[in-house]
Structure formats: C-alpha cells, structure tokens
Amino acid sequence: MTRHGGDPPRPVLTSQQEAYLGDLLKQVYPRVLRAVARMSRDHHLAEEITQDVAVAMFKEVLAGRAFRRPPIVFAVTVARNRVRSEFRRRRRAAELPTDDFPEGAEPWPPRPRDPDPTTAAARYLDLLAEVEAAIGDERRFRIWELHVVWDLKGFEIAEALGMSAPTVSRELRRAVEKARRIS
C-alpha cells in the first residue's frame, strides 16, 4: 500500500523501541567507529560502515528481534563482514592496474609507505593472514581478532563464541604468545 505520493510507508519505531535503539547506538557506535577507523585509516569509510551497522541494528529492533548476546557482538559481526568485504574489493581494484618497475629501479618521486587507503587495506588483510598463520588455530585467531582488532572484552567474546570467560582468557593468552612471534 502506498501513500498518495507513491512512496511506500516508512517503518515506524514505537517510543520504547526508539529509546532502546538510542541506548544501543550510544554504546556501540563509538566503539565500532574507532575500531574501523583504526583499521582502515579512512574516516569516511569508517563512518559509512558504522552507519551500516546502525541500519542493521535498526532493522533488528524494528523486526522486534531481541539481541540474545551483547549488542556489540552483533555490531562487530556486521562491521567485520563489511570491512573484510570492502578491503577485498579494494584489493581486487588495486591489483588490476600494474605499474611495476624493472628490478633495481625506484619510482621518482619515492612513494610514501601507505599512499592511500587501498594500500592500507591490502596491508591490513596481509597482516591478518600472517597473524592467523602464526596462531594456527581458527578459534584462537577469532578470539585474538575480537580482542585486539575489535576491542571486545573477554565476557563479550565469551558470549559471542559461546564459551566461558576463563576459556577465552586462556585461549587469548596462547594466541597472543604465538602472535608475538611475528617479526
């Protein structure tokens, strides 16, 4: 059913849902924004991804679905998937044109270390792959990533992965020991 202007009706939150969503976003938005900005070195991309997270949370609240786990876990999952997708897209785009120089030749003027967010994105994915290989265990790597990259606390990781907080602490300690071996 459409209104007389031809536009479909907008979804409307109840005042209770609106207050709940506002509280959720106050907790989640700054943490996700900070983590994505730190990873991407691109504030505009960080804002875009964080807004995508807010929209996903809005849709969950609008549908009346309660968050079984801490809302930051849902937000990080959405943001993580979006970041990886964006970084992979940028890497593919960066791989298309090649401007390799012959062996021993240097470009002039010299290139900065990370000239643009695309290079930073590719480097980030490479570093994640190196850490994942060093840790060697998928569960430990996921715990390490949620703690180090996404800044989640132990109890939030425990709820996200369905394990106890002491197990998370033990696995994180082992993952950090292995990750430190990368030089």
Side-chain angles (χ1 to χ4, degrees), residues 109-171:
R111 294 182 183 165
R113 183 173 173 154
D114 281 339
D116 65 341
T118 302
T119 305
R123 182 69 183 135
Y124 169 78
L125 290 176
D126 292 342
L127 284 172
L128 270 185
E130 288 177 33
V131 172
E132 186 172 14
I135 291 173
D137 181 280
E138 185 178 331
R139 183 172 82 164
R140 285 184 185 157
F141 172 72
R142 182 80 167 122
I143 291 169
W144 178 89
E145 181 187 16
L146 289 173
H147 179 71
V148 174
V149 177
W150 293 101
D151 232 8
L152 292 185
K153 295 167 182 54
F155 75 93
E156 293 169 333
I157 297 170
E159 290 191 34
L161 301 179
M163 57 181 65
S164 70
T167 301
V168 167
S169 178
R170 184 177 56 252
E171 294 293 319

Side-chain angles (χ1 to χ4, degrees), residues 68-117:
R68 293 185 309 258
R69 299 175 178 161
I72 188 68
V73 172
F74 175 83
V76 163
T77 302
V78 172
R80 180 180 184 265
N81 292 339
R82 181 76 166 75
V83 164
R84 285 183 172 226
S85 172
E86 180 66 23
F87 283 3
R88 286 186 185 116
R89 185 193 62 77
R90 286 183 177 193
R91 174 183 268 169
R92 281 192 305 272
E95 289 174 354
L96 294 177
T98 61
D99 56 346
D100 293 334
F101 292 88
E103 188 175 324
E106 291 289 326
W108 187 256
R111 294 182 183 165
R113 183 173 173 154
D114 281 339
D116 65 341

Side-chain angles (χ1 to χ4, degrees), residues 15-95:
S15 59
Q16 185 179 12
Q17 287 176 320
E18 195 172 317
Y20 176 63
L21 182 62
D23 289 342
L24 290 177
L25 292 178
K26 284 178 188 173
Q27 296 169 15
V28 168
Y29 201 92
R31 289 177 70 181
V32 172
L33 181 64
R34 185 174 50 247
V36 175
R38 189 177 65 228
M39 270 183 271
S40 68
R41 300 180 187 171
D42 182 347
H43 188 70
H44 295 291
L45 177 63
E47 280 286 342
E48 181 181 321
I49 289 173
T50 308
Q51 288 175 8
D52 289 348
V53 169
V55 168
M57 293 183 87
F58 170 81
K59 288 179 179 177
E60 289 293 309
V61 170
L62 183 66
R65 292 189 284 265
F67 294 101
R68 293 185 309 258
R69 299 175 178 161
I72 188 68
V73 172
F74 175 83
V76 163
T77 302
V78 172
R80 180 180 184 265
N81 292 339
R82 181 76 166 75
V83 164
R84 285 183 172 226
S85 172
E86 180 66 23
F87 283 3
R88 286 186 185 116
R89 185 193 62 77
R90 286 183 177 193
R91 174 183 268 169
R92 281 192 305 272
E95 289 174 354

